[in-house]
Amino acid sequence: MMTALRKWFPVFMLISASVKGAFASDVVFNNPDNAGHWGVRASLDVSNPGDWKSSIIKINMFESRLGASAGAYYHLPLVANLYFEPGASLFYDTYKMDFAIDESNNIPSGHIDKFGIRVPLDFGFHFDIWENASLFIKTGPQLMYGFTEKMHIPIEEEFDNDMYGEDGMLNRFDLLWDIAAGADFGRWNVALGYDFGLLNLAKNTGGRILYHENYFRISVGFAF
């Protein structure tokens, strides 16, 4: 037993020293090379619309579909490896619409597409574990404003399909909370994130109906 311990002791000491040296380094948590920079980012969005809820009923009217967004951001170092990252991106998102509440409902299914702008205001922290790569986490509020949102249903009768119109169902403005984690590889970065809708988007209901929109996002960015 003692012979085996003596044999492996130098290996244990080498591993321990390497780990201690990597994580005790100030660079991991306070890199002196931190600098502000611009970047661009594109993402694949998966909408996750919630149910229409009231005190007596819950209707699963919408289902997830894909969308995309693209825009720019600015990485602003604050203290140590803590940073602030505001940005702006244009988005195009879709989700399925299904009115089939019961078998007697003969309204066909359709879809909704929406176009607008998102303004994330994230605070993050990066862990510079490797020389040319790091891990990061970030979170913060995200403002969203819809330019257009149209409902498309294959029926012969004409109808107003503007979801933001006077008789529409939804509000244009939303506030979400963003949570994301990812990695930097040189100038490139990748991340997975989820946006939680904080505001009730159902309008003209006097607050009797609640509806929120959430999003899962896979993004790829490039820093200048």
Side-chain angles (χ1 to χ4, degrees), residues 132-154:
N132 294 316
S134 63
L135 303 177
F136 64 84
I137 56 174
K138 61 181 180 178
T139 186
Q142 183 170 227
L143 310 177
M144 186 172 78
Y145 184 83
F147 299 146
T148 64
E149 182 162 3
K150 301 294 185 180
M151 176 173 52
H152 304 279
I153 301 176

PDB file of all heavy atoms in Angstrom, residues 132-154:
ATOM      1  N   ASN A 132      -6.802  31.089 -25.166  1.00  0.00           N
ATOM      2  CA  ASN A 132      -7.574  31.691 -26.253  1.00  0.00           C
ATOM      3  C   ASN A 132      -9.043  31.314 -26.212  1.00  0.00           C
ATOM      4  O   ASN A 132      -9.735  31.362 -27.229  1.00  0.00           O
ATOM      5  CB  ASN A 132      -6.980  31.277 -27.600  1.00  0.00           C
ATOM      6  CG  ASN A 132      -5.589  31.840 -27.817  1.00  0.00           C
ATOM      7  OD1 ASN A 132      -5.332  33.006 -27.548  1.00  0.00           O
ATOM      8  ND2 ASN A 132      -4.672  30.994 -28.288  1.00  0.00           N
ATOM      9  N   ALA A 133      -9.542  30.923 -25.057  1.00  0.00           N
ATOM     10  CA  ALA A 133     -10.945  30.543 -24.941  1.00  0.00           C
ATOM     11  C   ALA A 133     -11.415  30.768 -23.506  1.00  0.00           C
ATOM     12  O   ALA A 133     -10.607  30.777 -22.574  1.00  0.00           O
ATOM     13  CB  ALA A 133     -11.155  29.085 -25.340  1.00  0.00           C
ATOM     14  N   SER A 134     -12.704  30.974 -23.345  1.00  0.00           N
ATOM     15  CA  SER A 134     -13.262  31.212 -22.014  1.00  0.00           C
ATOM     16  C   SER A 134     -14.724  30.781 -21.987  1.00  0.00           C
ATOM     17  O   SER A 134     -15.361  30.615 -23.036  1.00  0.00           O
ATOM     18  CB  SER A 134     -13.149  32.692 -21.638  1.00  0.00           C
ATOM     19  OG  SER A 134     -13.903  33.504 -22.531  1.00  0.00           O
ATOM     20  N   LEU A 135     -15.229  30.609 -20.789  1.00  0.00           N
ATOM     21  CA  LEU A 135     -16.638  30.330 -20.563  1.00  0.00           C
ATOM     22  C   LEU A 135     -17.297  31.584 -19.997  1.00  0.00           C
ATOM     23  O   LEU A 135     -16.639  32.388 -19.325  1.00  0.00           O
ATOM     24  CB  LEU A 135     -16.807  29.165 -19.584  1.00  0.00           C
ATOM     25  CG  LEU A 135     -16.151  27.848 -19.967  1.00  0.00           C
ATOM     26  CD1 LEU A 135     -16.348  26.817 -18.858  1.00  0.00           C
ATOM     27  CD2 LEU A 135     -16.699  27.317 -21.289  1.00  0.00           C
ATOM     28  N   PHE A 136     -18.590  31.751 -20.262  1.00  0.00           N
ATOM     29  CA  PHE A 136     -19.270  32.926 -19.724  1.00  0.00           C
ATOM     30  C   PHE A 136     -20.718  32.589 -19.380  1.00  0.00           C
ATOM     31  O   PHE A 136     -21.319  31.660 -19.933  1.00  0.00           O
ATOM     32  CB  PHE A 136     -19.223  34.102 -20.710  1.00  0.00           C
ATOM     33  CG  PHE A 136     -19.947  33.869 -22.009  1.00  0.00           C
ATOM     34  CD1 PHE A 136     -21.315  34.088 -22.118  1.00  0.00           C
ATOM     35  CD2 PHE A 136     -19.261  33.431 -23.134  1.00  0.00           C
ATOM     36  CE1 PHE A 136     -21.985  33.884 -23.317  1.00  0.00           C
ATOM     37  CE2 PHE A 136     -19.916  33.222 -24.335  1.00  0.00           C
ATOM     38  CZ  PHE A 136     -21.280  33.450 -24.428  1.00  0.00           C
ATOM     39  N   ILE A 137     -21.242  33.366 -18.449  1.00  0.00           N
ATOM     40  CA  ILE A 137     -22.665  33.355 -18.117  1.00  0.00           C
ATOM     41  C   ILE A 137     -23.142  34.797 -18.128  1.00  0.00           C
ATOM     42  O   ILE A 137     -22.366  35.714 -17.845  1.00  0.00           O
ATOM     43  CB  ILE A 137     -22.942  32.704 -16.745  1.00  0.00           C
ATOM     44  CG1 ILE A 137     -22.139  33.411 -15.645  1.00  0.00           C
ATOM     45  CG2 ILE A 137     -22.642  31.222 -16.772  1.00  0.00           C
ATOM     46  CD1 ILE A 137     -22.459  32.924 -14.243  1.00  0.00           C
ATOM     47  N   LYS A 138     -24.401  35.005 -18.488  1.00  0.00           N
ATOM     48  CA  LYS A 138     -24.931  36.363 -18.503  1.00  0.00           C
ATOM     49  C   LYS A 138     -26.439  36.337 -18.291  1.00  0.00           C
ATOM     50  O   LYS A 138     -27.110  35.338 -18.570  1.00  0.00           O
ATOM     51  CB  LYS A 138     -24.589  37.082 -19.806  1.00  0.00           C
ATOM     52  CG  LYS A 138     -25.138  36.429 -21.061  1.00  0.00           C
ATOM     53  CD  LYS A 138     -24.723  37.212 -22.311  1.00  0.00           C
ATOM     54  CE  LYS A 138     -25.268  36.575 -23.577  1.00  0.00           C
ATOM     55  NZ  LYS A 138     -24.905  37.357 -24.785  1.00  0.00           N
ATOM     56  N   THR A 139     -26.953  37.446 -17.799  1.00  0.00           N
ATOM     57  CA  THR A 139     -28.385  37.566 -17.566  1.00  0.00           C
ATOM     58  C   THR A 139     -28.765  39.040 -17.525  1.00  0.00           C
ATOM     59  O   THR A 139     -27.917  39.901 -17.262  1.00  0.00           O
ATOM     60  CB  THR A 139     -28.782  36.883 -16.238  1.00  0.00           C
ATOM     61  OG1 THR A 139     -30.199  36.880 -16.088  1.00  0.00           O
ATOM     62  CG2 THR A 139     -28.173  37.600 -15.046  1.00  0.00           C
ATOM     63  N   GLY A 140     -30.017  39.315 -17.797  1.00  0.00           N
ATOM     64  CA  GLY A 140     -30.474  40.702 -17.772  1.00  0.00           C
ATOM     65  C   GLY A 140     -31.791  40.868 -18.495  1.00  0.00           C
ATOM     66  O   GLY A 140     -32.318  39.933 -19.114  1.00  0.00           O
ATOM     67  N   PRO A 141     -32.357  42.078 -18.436  1.00  0.00           N
ATOM     68  CA  PRO A 141     -33.627  42.347 -19.109  1.00  0.00           C
ATOM     69  C   PRO A 141     -33.445  42.478 -20.615  1.00  0.00           C
ATOM     70  O   PRO A 141     -32.356  42.795 -21.110  1.00  0.00           O
ATOM     71  CB  PRO A 141     -34.074  43.672 -18.495  1.00  0.00           C
ATOM     72  CG  PRO A 141     -32.791  44.350 -18.133  1.00  0.00           C
ATOM     73  CD  PRO A 141     -31.852  43.259 -17.714  1.00  0.00           C
ATOM     74  N   GLN A 142     -34.519  42.230 -21.336  1.00  0.00           N
ATOM     75  CA  GLN A 142     -34.514  42.360 -22.790  1.00  0.00           C
ATOM     76  C   GLN A 142     -35.828  43.020 -23.222  1.00  0.00           C
ATOM     77  O   GLN A 142     -36.909  42.508 -22.933  1.00  0.00           O
ATOM     78  CB  GLN A 142     -34.365  41.000 -23.466  1.00  0.00           C
ATOM     79  CG  GLN A 142     -34.293  41.086 -24.970  1.00  0.00           C
ATOM     80  CD  GLN A 142     -33.906  39.760 -25.605  1.00  0.00           C
ATOM     81  OE1 GLN A 142     -33.051  39.701 -26.470  1.00  0.00           O
ATOM     82  NE2 GLN A 142     -34.524  38.671 -25.173  1.00  0.00           N
ATOM     83  N   LEU A 143     -35.704  44.162 -23.872  1.00  0.00           N
ATOM     84  CA  LEU A 143     -36.868  44.872 -24.385  1.00  0.00           C
ATOM     85  C   LEU A 143     -37.197  44.355 -25.775  1.00  0.00           C
ATOM     86  O   LEU A 143     -36.303  44.111 -26.580  1.00  0.00           O
ATOM     87  CB  LEU A 143     -36.596  46.376 -24.433  1.00  0.00           C
ATOM     88  CG  LEU A 143     -36.046  47.013 -23.155  1.00  0.00           C
ATOM     89  CD1 LEU A 143     -35.764  48.492 -23.379  1.00  0.00           C
ATOM     90  CD2 LEU A 143     -37.009  46.827 -21.993  1.00  0.00           C
ATOM     91  N   MET A 144     -38.479  44.212 -26.070  1.00  0.00           N
ATOM     92  CA  MET A 144     -38.893  43.738 -27.389  1.00  0.00           C
ATOM     93  C   MET A 144     -40.051  44.582 -27.889  1.00  0.00           C
ATOM     94  O   MET A 144     -41.007  44.856 -27.143  1.00  0.00           O
ATOM     95  CB  MET A 144     -39.293  42.261 -27.341  1.00  0.00           C
ATOM     96  CG  MET A 144     -39.584  41.672 -28.714  1.00  0.00           C
ATOM     97  SD  MET A 144     -39.834  39.877 -28.687  1.00  0.00           S
ATOM     98  CE  MET A 144     -41.509  39.794 -28.076  1.00  0.00           C
ATOM     99  N   TYR A 145     -39.956  45.007 -29.138  1.00  0.00           N
ATOM    100  CA  TYR A 145     -41.021  45.792 -29.757  1.00  0.00           C
ATOM    101  C   TYR A 145     -41.346  45.178 -31.112  1.00  0.00           C
ATOM    102  O   TYR A 145     -40.461  45.004 -31.960  1.00  0.00           O
ATOM    103  CB  TYR A 145     -40.582  47.249 -29.932  1.00  0.00           C
ATOM    104  CG  TYR A 145     -41.679  48.134 -30.471  1.00  0.00           C
ATOM    105  CD1 TYR A 145     -42.650  48.673 -29.624  1.00  0.00           C
ATOM    106  CD2 TYR A 145     -41.762  48.432 -31.832  1.00  0.00           C
ATOM    107  CE1 TYR A 145     -43.650  49.489 -30.114  1.00  0.00           C
ATOM    108  CE2 TYR A 145     -42.767  49.236 -32.335  1.00  0.00           C
ATOM    109  CZ  TYR A 145     -43.721  49.763 -31.470  1.00  0.00           C
ATOM    110  OH  TYR A 145     -44.725  50.549 -31.951  1.00  0.00           O
ATOM    111  N   GLY A 146     -42.618  44.845 -31.330  1.00  0.00           N
ATOM    112  CA  GLY A 146     -43.043  44.239 -32.574  1.00  0.00           C
ATOM    113  C   GLY A 146     -43.468  45.274 -33.597  1.00  0.00           C
ATOM    114  O   GLY A 146     -44.306  46.131 -33.308  1.00  0.00           O
ATOM    115  N   PHE A 147     -42.899  45.201 -34.787  1.00  0.00           N
ATOM    116  CA  PHE A 147     -43.312  46.086 -35.880  1.00  0.00           C
ATOM    117  C   PHE A 147     -44.610  45.560 -36.513  1.00  0.00           C
ATOM    118  O   PHE A 147     -45.552  46.326 -36.720  1.00  0.00           O
ATOM    119  CB  PHE A 147     -42.222  46.174 -36.945  1.00  0.00           C
ATOM    120  CG  PHE A 147     -40.927  46.736 -36.440  1.00  0.00           C
ATOM    121  CD1 PHE A 147     -39.727  46.283 -36.946  1.00  0.00           C
ATOM    122  CD2 PHE A 147     -40.910  47.721 -35.454  1.00  0.00           C
ATOM    123  CE1 PHE A 147     -38.527  46.798 -36.488  1.00  0.00           C
ATOM    124  CE2 PHE A 147     -39.712  48.253 -34.993  1.00  0.00           C
ATOM    125  CZ  PHE A 147     -38.516  47.782 -35.507  1.00  0.00           C
ATOM    126  N   THR A 148     -44.627  44.280 -36.840  1.00  0.00           N
ATOM    127  CA  THR A 148     -45.816  43.650 -37.425  1.00  0.00           C
ATOM    128  C   THR A 148     -45.995  42.260 -36.829  1.00  0.00           C
ATOM    129  O   THR A 148     -45.021  41.595 -36.459  1.00  0.00           O
ATOM    130  CB  THR A 148     -45.699  43.510 -38.960  1.00  0.00           C
ATOM    131  OG1 THR A 148     -44.622  42.616 -39.276  1.00  0.00           O
ATOM    132  CG2 THR A 148     -45.459  44.864 -39.613  1.00  0.00           C
ATOM    133  N   GLU A 149     -47.234  41.840 -36.750  1.00  0.00           N
ATOM    134  CA  GLU A 149     -47.549  40.466 -36.356  1.00  0.00           C
ATOM    135  C   GLU A 149     -48.843  40.078 -37.066  1.00  0.00           C
ATOM    136  O   GLU A 149     -49.896  40.674 -36.830  1.00  0.00           O
ATOM    137  CB  GLU A 149     -47.694  40.325 -34.844  1.00  0.00           C
ATOM    138  CG  GLU A 149     -47.980  38.889 -34.423  1.00  0.00           C
ATOM    139  CD  GLU A 149     -47.713  38.635 -32.952  1.00  0.00           C
ATOM    140  OE1 GLU A 149     -47.362  39.583 -32.229  1.00  0.00           O
ATOM    141  OE2 GLU A 149     -47.854  37.474 -32.524  1.00  0.00           O
ATOM    142  N   LYS A 150     -48.740  39.092 -37.944  1.00  0.00           N
ATOM    143  CA  LYS A 150     -49.858  38.713 -38.795  1.00  0.00           C
ATOM    144  C   LYS A 150     -50.313  37.278 -38.496  1.00  0.00           C
ATOM    145  O   LYS A 150     -49.496  36.388 -38.285  1.00  0.00           O
ATOM    146  CB  LYS A 150     -49.473  38.815 -40.272  1.00  0.00           C
ATOM    147  CG  LYS A 150     -49.040  40.214 -40.703  1.00  0.00           C
ATOM    148  CD  LYS A 150     -50.175  41.223 -40.642  1.00  0.00           C
ATOM    149  CE  LYS A 150     -49.746  42.575 -41.190  1.00  0.00           C
ATOM    150  NZ  LYS A 150     -50.856  43.567 -41.141  1.00  0.00           N
ATOM    151  N   MET A 151     -51.621  37.087 -38.514  1.00  0.00           N
ATOM    152  CA  MET A 151     -52.217  35.767 -38.347  1.00  0.00           C
ATOM    153  C   MET A 151     -52.645  35.248 -39.708  1.00  0.00           C
ATOM    154  O   MET A 151     -53.335  35.944 -40.461  1.00  0.00           O
ATOM    155  CB  MET A 151     -53.424  35.858 -37.399  1.00  0.00           C
ATOM    156  CG  MET A 151     -54.192  34.571 -37.223  1.00  0.00           C
ATOM    157  SD  MET A 151     -55.480  34.717 -35.942  1.00  0.00           S
ATOM    158  CE  MET A 151     -56.375  36.190 -36.484  1.00  0.00           C
ATOM    159  N   HIS A 152     -52.248  34.030 -40.050  1.00  0.00           N
ATOM    160  CA  HIS A 152     -52.555  33.443 -41.351  1.00  0.00           C
ATOM    161  C   HIS A 152     -53.369  32.173 -41.152  1.00  0.00           C
ATOM    162  O   HIS A 152     -52.874  31.182 -40.607  1.00  0.00           O
ATOM    163  CB  HIS A 152     -51.266  33.133 -42.111  1.00  0.00           C
ATOM    164  CG  HIS A 152     -50.368  34.328 -42.285  1.00  0.00           C
ATOM    165  ND1 HIS A 152     -50.554  35.273 -43.274  1.00  0.00           N
ATOM    166  CD2 HIS A 152     -49.304  34.742 -41.566  1.00  0.00           C
ATOM    167  CE1 HIS A 152     -49.628  36.210 -43.177  1.00  0.00           C
ATOM    168  NE2 HIS A 152     -48.857  35.912 -42.146  1.00  0.00           N
ATOM    169  N   ILE A 153     -54.629  32.216 -41.612  1.00  0.00           N
ATOM    170  CA  ILE A 153     -55.537  31.073 -41.494  1.00  0.00           C
ATOM    171  C   ILE A 153     -56.152  30.823 -42.862  1.00  0.00           C
ATOM    172  O   ILE A 153     -56.670  31.748 -43.500  1.00  0.00           O
ATOM    173  CB  ILE A 153     -56.649  31.347 -40.466  1.00  0.00           C
ATOM    174  CG1 ILE A 153     -56.033  31.652 -39.096  1.00  0.00           C
ATOM    175  CG2 ILE A 153     -57.595  30.157 -40.353  1.00  0.00           C
ATOM    176  CD1 ILE A 153     -57.043  32.035 -38.053  1.00  0.00           C
ATOM    177  N   PRO A 154     -56.123  29.591 -43.368  1.00  0.00           N
ATOM    178  CA  PRO A 154     -56.638  29.284 -44.717  1.00  0.00           C
ATOM    179  C   PRO A 154     -58.166  29.217 -44.755  1.00  0.00           C
ATOM    180  O   PRO A 154     -58.764  28.146 -44.803  1.00  0.00           O
ATOM    181  CB  PRO A 154     -56.009  27.923 -45.018  1.00  0.00           C
ATOM    182  CG  PRO A 154     -55.825  27.292 -43.683  1.00  0.00           C
ATOM    183  CD  PRO A 154     -55.483  28.416 -42.749  1.00  0.00           C
TER     184      PRO A 154
END
